[in-house]
């Protein structure tokens, strides 16, 4: 029986199929086969094959060749077989991604907003409330008066060190009472050799700083923040505290409240209100925000839109001391506050209720004895101003 196998054209080169031993593959002898020179000797099982034949219609074609071309390659102009190593591709892609991230420019610091698009209206009778609190504060000595962030500069002689000590004190005060912050600042000054300076912080071991501030909240994180901030100040600001809010907020561990207070205390620059938890809580209890604000930043923007600029530096110190002694976060002393006469929509009044009951005592012999016992009960009653809705007290997680 004559063989059905056709003679191969001299223009084709035969080679055994790598997929089946009984199949012969044919390719154009004039075409070039290129292999990626960078490919590793260890080949992946994944193969990308691009077979392109010029003048395809002019060449005789056998069934095995047609079957192989149809199965393995699309039509094009050149023959190319490209072998890729799977692991090599993944690693190269990861390398490119890392290089792209490294070469990308650092993200620009977002500017701190200074005003609202629509100013918040001034609350009615706010001036009377403000003056009343100011009068009450003049009779109160609060922790912030003797141990606040402005006190840290008093032990320094050089103006540059006074500004840096103020900034460090503000960084330590977050989520920490003034009494603890003041003690930590004194201990840190001692650990640094008697003066809080940028150079002394950079020269000190982190363990020495951590031991000095170990009583403040989040002391481990703040240790790193203080070291990093000192390095930034040395590299970018000539070892001094910057004079803008955005530059201050670019420092590790420094937020808007610290930035505004640092400018007021260190540079005597008034560009906004430093709002902490006390200012946030008290102004909401007074009903100064409609609707009530949820964050100190919202409170700051509301207050700055209507409170006169000349009062911005004083309101923080005034309300912090008031919140530390009278308008406490839990159990506010409304009985000692003059605003509980109806001007504060969140005021509560202690009402004492008494009742009497008779207790009879009988003995085997002798007269009957009756004793009256007086029961005293106290309860807090909310006193609400007629035109305002009462606000629930806000929780306070920090002291200063």
């Amino acid at each position: 029986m004559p063989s059905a196998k056709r003679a191969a054209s001299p223009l084709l080169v035969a080679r055994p199929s790598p997929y089946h031993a009984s199949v012969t593959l044919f390719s154009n002898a004039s075409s070039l086969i290129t292999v990626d020179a960078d490919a590793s000797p260890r080949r992946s099982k994944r193969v990308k094959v691009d077979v392109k034949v010029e003048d395809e219609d002019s060449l005789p074609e056998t069934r095995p060749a047609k079957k192989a071309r149809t199965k393995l390659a699309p039509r094009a102009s050149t023959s190319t077989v490209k072998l890729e190593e799977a692991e090599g591709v993944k690693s190269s892609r990861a390398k490119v991604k890392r290089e792209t991230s490294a070469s990308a420019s650092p993200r620009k610091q977002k500017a701190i907003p200074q005003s609202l698009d629509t100013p918040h209206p001034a609350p009615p009778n706010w001036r009377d409330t403000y003056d009343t609190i100011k009068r009450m504060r003049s009779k109160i000595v609060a922790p912030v008066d003797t141990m606040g962030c402005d006190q840290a500069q008093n032990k320094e002689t050089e103006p540059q060190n006074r500004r840096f000590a103020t900034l460090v004190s503000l960084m330590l005060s977050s989520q920490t009472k003034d009494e603890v912050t003041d003690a930590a600042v004194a201990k840190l000054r001692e650990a640094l050799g008697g003066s809080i300076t940028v150079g002394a912080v950079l020269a000190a071991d982190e363990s020495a700083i951590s031991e000095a501030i170990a009583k403040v909240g989040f002391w481990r994180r703040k240790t790193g923040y203080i070291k990093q901030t000192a390095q930034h100040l040395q590299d970018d600001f000539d070892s001094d505290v910057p004079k803008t809010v955005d530059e201050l907020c670019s420092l590790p561990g420094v937020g808007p409240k610290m930035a505004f207070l640092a400018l007021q205390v260190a540079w005597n620059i008034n560009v906004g209100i430093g709002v902490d938890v006390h200012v946030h809580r008290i102004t909401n209890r007074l009903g100064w925000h409609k609707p009530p604000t949820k964050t100190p930043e919202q409170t700051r923007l509301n207050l700055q839109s209507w409170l006169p600029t000349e009062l911005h530096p004083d309101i923080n110190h005034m309300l912090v001391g008031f919140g530390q002694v009278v308008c406490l976060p839990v159990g506010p002393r409304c009985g000692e506050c003059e605003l509980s006469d109806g001007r504060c929509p969140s005021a509560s009044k202690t009402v004492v209720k008494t009742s009497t009951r008779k207790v009879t005592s009988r003995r085997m012999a002798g007269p009957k004895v009756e004793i009256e016992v007086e029961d005293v009960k106290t309860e807090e009653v909310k006193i609400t101003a007629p035109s305002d809705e009462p606000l629930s007290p806000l929780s306070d997680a920090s002291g200063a």
Side-chain angles (χ1 to χ4, degrees), residues 319-379:
L319 291 185
V320 167
F322 187 65
Q324 289 176 335
V325 178
V326 179
C327 197
L328 303 173
V330 180
R333 299 170 180 171
C334 297
E336 302 175 14
C337 179
E338 297 178 23
L339 298 176
S340 61
D341 58 2
R343 286 177 286 176
C344 177
S346 302
S348 60
K349 185 177 180 180
T350 302
V351 178
V352 179
K353 294 183 177 181
T354 61
S355 61
T356 58
R357 55 191 175 89
K358 292 183 178 181
V359 178
T360 302
S361 175
R362 290 182 177 274
R363 295 186 177 181
M364 296 299 295
K368 180 175 67 174
V369 178
E370 290 186 354
I371 303 174
E372 289 187 355
V373 178
E374 186 178 80
D375 294 329
V376 180
K377 295 181 180 180
T378 61
E379 61 179 18

Side-chain angles (χ1 to χ4, degrees), residues 152 156 161-162 164-165 168 185 188-189 192 194-198 200-201:
E156 303 292 338
N161 298 340
R162 290 166 65 89
F164 182 60
V168 170
V185 170
L188 178 62
R189 179 177 286 109
L192 296 178
S195 182
I196 300 178
T197 68
V198 172
V201 169

Side-chain angles (χ1 to χ4, degrees), residues 245-310:
V245 174
D246 291 337
E247 288 175 335
L248 280 164
C249 289
S250 70
L251 301 173
V254 178
K257 179 204 79 171
M258 301 179 194
F260 288 113
L261 292 177
L263 290 178
Q264 291 169 355
V265 176
W267 289 108
N268 197 26
I269 296 175
N270 176 33
V271 291
I273 301 173
V275 175
D276 65 354
V277 289
H278 293 289
V279 179
H280 177 60
R281 179 184 72 253
I282 294 172
T283 56
N284 272 283
R285 284 179 174 175
L286 293 173
W288 282 3
H289 308 287
K290 301 293 183 180
T293 54
K294 296 181 180 180
T295 65
E297 270 297 273
Q298 292 177 356
T299 299
R300 176 180 69 83
L301 292 172
N302 277 3
L303 290 174
Q304 287 179 184
S305 67
W306 61 265
L307 188 71
T309 306
E310 62 270 17

Side-chain angles (χ1 to χ4, degrees), residues 38-46 83-89:
D38 296 333
S40 172
R42 180 181 176 184
R43 307 296 184 188
S44 170
K45 293 182 179 180
R46 184 158 57 100
L83 303 177
E84 295 180 343
E85 182 182 2
E87 295 180 0
V89 172

Side-chain angles (χ1 to χ4, degrees), residues 195-210:
S195 182
I196 300 178
T197 68
V198 172
V201 169
L202 292 176
D205 293 334
E206 286 198 7
S207 58
I209 297 177
S210 296

